[in-house]
Amino acid sequence: MAALVTGLLLLAGCAPSDYSEGINSFSQAISQANTTEQTLADSYEKVEIANYIQHFSGQKAVVDFSKCHGTPGPYKAGDCVVEVQGISSPTAPPSSMAGLTKYAALLSAVVADKTCASLQSDATSIASSISNMAKKAQQPTLEKAASPSASIVSTLGCLVIANEQLAILREATKDANPVIQKLVPLIARNDQDMYLTILEDNISQLDDATIAYNTAVRAYQKSNSASDLANSASDLAKVVSLTQVVNSAQVSQPGPLISKLATLHQTLTDALAAPTINLKMVENDAQGFVADAKVVGSAVKILANPQQP
């Protein structure tokens, strides 16, 4: 404790402005990653529903209308659903970014705190969020790792709030980092699996479109008619569109992108642990991540709804 107090006194000249931009940029990167994952999940749901309809078409469907009416209640999301052969229609998978998003938002909240009470509350919430992330990462030995960040404020009594903000940020990122290094690969694998399902659906469409085009070409070569030529042109346009969509998606994959969050958090942790606080690299890397995540999100939207060129 004496060493911690001494460390805080050495940081007396450090103001929140020295690290707030870096912390907020990190939080924005996590938020954008979550937005991109939701776009991915929505697109994945559309593909899975289309596959479900194709597979079960022509078989008896069952709907529990009492649940759709909300009885006996209370109504829960997913109560009103169709089942065929005992299998429910697909829904968008739950977010795998929820814990990380909450954690990042709490780091920004610590920077913005103006009172000891709010700082104590956010520090306690950070400890809880790290524990929850450890469960998601299947790391039970790390679930209690966040306890120091929750106890700093109550122990020191909020002598200098700016110093205690930084102390909490340092402890929180140090405690969270081993958890996040385990959690991020799981999120990346989850997002990549959804992406591959959507991509394979588009490649299947491309295969069908190519077959249709070649059939149209043979028809035109036999008839030499204007209508058959128009049909082949339309089919070729679809082939061109789908190849462009697949090409764009292949170079903008979510798995490698999400994996960068582990590196970003490591950079944040190391920068906060340094004697002199400088989060400019974190800020720059986070801004680059946000830009890349938006590109991936756009590619996924097009992948789910390919348009004619």
Side-chain angles (χ1 to χ4, degrees):
M1 180 55 63
L4 182 55
V5 172
T6 301
L8 289 176
L9 292 174
L10 290 173
L11 290 169
C14 190
S17 58
D18 295 332
Y19 49 81
S20 60
E21 288 298 323
I23 295 295
N24 290 332
S25 293
F26 173 78
S27 296
Q28 289 163 10
I30 298 298
S31 178
Q32 183 59 54
N34 183 58
T35 298
T36 298
E37 185 185 73
Q38 292 310 302
T39 299
L40 189 62
D42 291 344
S43 300
Y44 174 81
E45 180 185 26
K46 290 179 182 178
V47 170
E48 288 295 278
I49 287 176
N51 291 336
Y52 179 89
I53 292 171
Q54 184 177 14
H55 181 75
F56 287 112
S57 182
Q59 301 182 52
K60 183 179 179 180
V62 177
V63 176
D64 187 339
F65 286 98
S66 63
K67 288 187 176 180
C68 290
H69 283 293
T71 53
Y75 184 85
K76 302 185 300 297
D79 277 353
C80 186
V81 65
V82 61
E83 289 187 350
V84 181
Q85 298 294 316
I87 300 175
S88 302
S89 59
T91 57
S95 171
S96 60
M97 292 283 302
L100 192 53
T101 302
K102 182 177 181 180
Y103 163 77
L106 284 168
L107 293 184
S108 286
V110 165
V111 172
D113 282 335
K114 303 298 183 185
T115 68
C116 186
S118 61
L119 199 58
Q120 177 67 69
S121 175
D122 287 334
T124 303
S125 296
I126 286 176
S128 177
S129 72
I130 295 173
S131 178
N132 290 334
M133 285 192 294
K135 291 178 183 178
K136 290 291 184 181
Q138 301 173 355
Q139 300 293 315
T141 59
L142 298 175
E143 287 182 26
K144 296 182 180 180
S147 56
S149 60
S151 63
I152 289 175
V153 179
S154 59
T155 303
L156 297 180
C158 267
L159 298 175
V160 181
I161 194 167
N163 288 350
E164 304 209 23
Q165 285 172 312
L166 182 56
I168 290 171
L169 293 173
R170 281 179 158 173
E171 288 293 331
T173 52
K174 183 187 72 175
D175 295 341
N177 196 52
V179 176
I180 289 174
Q181 298 305 315
K182 298 288 186 181
L183 178 61
V184 166
L186 299 181
I187 298 174
R189 189 179 309 130
N190 173 71
D191 289 0
Q192 186 71 6
D193 286 345
M194 286 193 292
Y195 156 83
L196 289 175
T197 297
I198 303 167
L199 180 63
E200 286 303 315
D201 181 73
N202 273 257
I203 292 176
S204 178
Q205 291 182 47
L206 174 58
D207 183 41
D208 292 341
T210 303
I211 293 172
Y213 169 67
N214 288 331
T215 299
V217 168
R218 286 193 293 271
Y220 168 67
Q221 289 173 343
K222 287 182 179 179
S223 68
N224 203 32
S225 70
S227 61
D228 283 339
L229 178 61
N231 288 336
S232 69
S234 176
D235 288 337
L236 180 57
K238 187 172 183 179
V239 172
V240 169
S241 177
L242 285 168
T243 53
Q244 289 175 338
V245 167
V246 169
N247 177 68
S248 174
Q250 285 284 25
V251 298
S252 302
Q253 300 191 21
L257 172 78
I258 296 299
S259 295
K260 293 180 180 179
L261 290 177
T263 303
L264 183 61
H265 190 270
Q266 183 69 63
T267 303
L268 176 64
T269 303
D270 293 343
L272 285 171
T276 302
I277 305 301
N278 185 343
L279 300 189
K280 194 62 181 177
M281 180 181 292
V282 174
E283 186 178 348
N284 292 339
D285 290 350
Q287 290 172 352
F289 180 92
V290 168
D292 291 343
K294 288 180 179 179
V295 171
V296 171
S298 296
V300 170
K301 283 182 180 180
I302 296 173
L303 199 59
N305 301 285
Q307 301 294 319
Q308 294 290 343

